[in-house]
Amino acid sequence: MHFDPAAFPGTKYFWETIRVFFSTMPKATRLILIGYVVLLIVVLIIGEWKERFFYIGSTLMLLITCVNPWMAWFLVNKLHFDDRYFRLFWLAPVVMLYIHMAVMIYRKAPKVGRIILWGLLMIFFGYSLWQISIRSEGLYHGGSGNKRMEIVDNIFKVEDDVAEACDIIDADSDTSKERRVIYDKDFYMEARAYDGSIVSILVPYFSYNGVDWDTAIEGKDWRGALRAIYTEKVGPCEKYPLDGDTLKLVMANARCDYVVLRKTSQYYNLWVDNFPVLGITEYYVVLKTPE
């Protein structure tokens, strides 16, 4: 999560979400959203009743059910949507409205206007390819790193190494139930695309805020201690040694079923010496933790 929900009680959580959402938004996205609002006004003024009903109605429904401070409080505090609330903003039919308006303009435009529209379309298409092939380098692609537009052989279109690790977990568990696993950011997006029932107990792709190992153990912050050792940012360990017994204590209380650990982890031997190894892939080792 971008921030701690407990620090923003009531409707403050919604306003902090809005602040983070818009302060981290790229300029291109802001421009697209501004254009979306403009197109909504156009639809409201000149659109047919079906267009008004769908686009205006869906936007109003979104404002009532999701983009609403009191509804946010209910979703976060009562239904525990704090890890997913950001995703509700994706419900707005932004792309659909742009496409719909482009088709309307194309049908009514003269020949010259259609040529201009096709030219703009090619520019946007080229920009999209640039985004995918160049700027996507920082996106996750399993343990091997991002391959940009390289063709993936398997039908799932995820890194083979990730699929192998997920299959190892599937073979050892009930696939009809959610499996609570800890894995790194490179594994995250691929695993979620391959098997939605393999769920990370920690959100791995945001910045690590830091948890003092001794403080976490003393305060029984088991997830904080788990994140500290998994991300190799444990600290001095002045009160509690980083040994097998302490690691087993943390894992017994962190409610984590499996660990997908990168082979290059500096604590690799500590992990594999204290938990059963279910399988090894090219980049990862899969461990089972106490029930």
Side-chain angles (χ1 to χ4, degrees):
M1 194 60 205
H2 289 77
F3 53 85
D4 181 9
F8 300 92
T11 58
K12 291 182 179 179
Y13 180 86
F14 170 81
W15 295 113
E16 180 63 12
T17 298
I18 294 296
R19 186 196 69 78
V20 173
F21 189 73
F22 284 97
S23 64
T24 59
M25 183 185 300
K27 293 181 180 179
T29 305
R30 292 184 186 181
L31 183 61
I32 290 173
L33 287 180
I34 293 173
Y36 173 69
V37 174
V38 172
L39 291 180
L40 284 176
I41 296 174
V42 172
V43 169
L44 182 62
I45 297 174
I46 66 172
E48 298 180 357
W49 74 268
K50 289 183 179 180
E51 296 166 340
R52 294 179 184 176
F53 178 80
F54 179 79
Y55 292 110
I56 304 300
S58 61
T59 302
L60 290 176
M61 186 62 67
L62 182 63
L63 291 173
I64 294 171
T65 58
C66 298
V67 190
N68 178 325
W70 294 275
M71 182 59 72
W73 172 87
F74 177 78
L75 292 172
V76 171
N77 290 278
K78 299 300 181 180
L79 300 182
H80 308 292
F81 268 47
D82 45 294
D83 286 340
R84 294 290 181 266
Y85 185 71
F86 274 78
R87 298 171 183 252
L88 296 174
F89 293 101
W90 299 353
L91 295 173
V94 177
V95 176
M96 188 178 297
L97 179 56
Y98 270 95
I99 294 174
H100 183 91
M101 294 302 294
V103 172
M104 288 180 58
I105 294 172
Y106 183 83
R107 292 176 62 182
K108 296 181 179 180
K111 185 176 181 180
V112 175
R114 293 185 178 187
I115 294 175
I116 294 174
L117 191 62
W118 269 108
L120 291 173
L121 179 62
M122 291 298 102
I123 291 174
F124 281 120
F125 181 71
Y127 178 74
S128 299
L129 289 179
W130 176 69
Q131 290 280 337
I132 294 172
S133 62
I134 304 298
R135 297 196 63 184
S136 66
E137 185 175 1
L139 297 180
Y140 318 124
H141 194 76
S144 65
N146 190 286
K147 296 181 180 180
R148 295 184 179 175
M149 299 184 71
E150 183 175 323
I151 297 176
V152 180
D153 294 332
N154 67 70
I155 62 173
F156 302 101
K157 302 307 176 186
V158 300
E159 180 65 35
D160 290 333
D161 191 67
V162 173
E164 290 174 15
C166 290
D167 289 342
I168 291 171
I169 295 174
D170 285 344
D172 183 73
S173 58
D174 184 354
T175 57
S176 66
K177 297 180 179 179
E178 182 178 279
R179 277 70 53 78
R180 299 165 60 82
V181 186
I182 184 169
Y183 39 69
D184 62 27
K185 66 179 181 63
D186 295 321
F187 194 90
Y188 181 77
M189 295 300 292
E190 299 270 298
R192 295 295 287 153
Y194 183 74
D195 190 340
S197 64
I198 296 178
V199 179
S200 174
I201 67 167
L202 299 173
V203 180
Y205 52 86
F206 296 127
S207 61
Y208 175 67
N209 296 322
V211 175
D212 179 76
W213 174 258
D214 291 331
T215 303
I217 301 297
E218 205 163 69
K220 297 183 179 181
D221 178 11
W222 307 117
R223 285 197 175 190
L226 172 57
R227 176 175 289 185
I229 187 173
Y230 187 84
T231 57
E232 304 176 23
K233 298 180 180 179
V234 176
C237 304
E238 295 176 353
K239 295 182 180 179
Y240 299 94
L242 181 56
D243 55 20
D245 291 336
T246 309
L247 178 58
K248 289 178 180 178
L249 176 66
V250 170
M251 296 307 295
N253 290 278
R255 296 183 61 212
C256 180
D257 302 319
Y258 299 91
V259 176
V260 179
L261 183 71
R262 192 178 286 270
K263 290 181 179 179
T264 55
S265 171
Q266 65 174 320
Y267 301 127
Y268 179 87
N269 291 331
L270 178 64
W271 283 102
V272 300
D273 288 345
N274 287 279
F275 298 105
V277 175
L278 297 180
I280 298 177
T281 68
E282 184 177 357
Y283 302 101
Y284 298 98
V285 56
V286 181
L287 308 168
K288 186 172 184 178
T289 60
E291 296 183 0

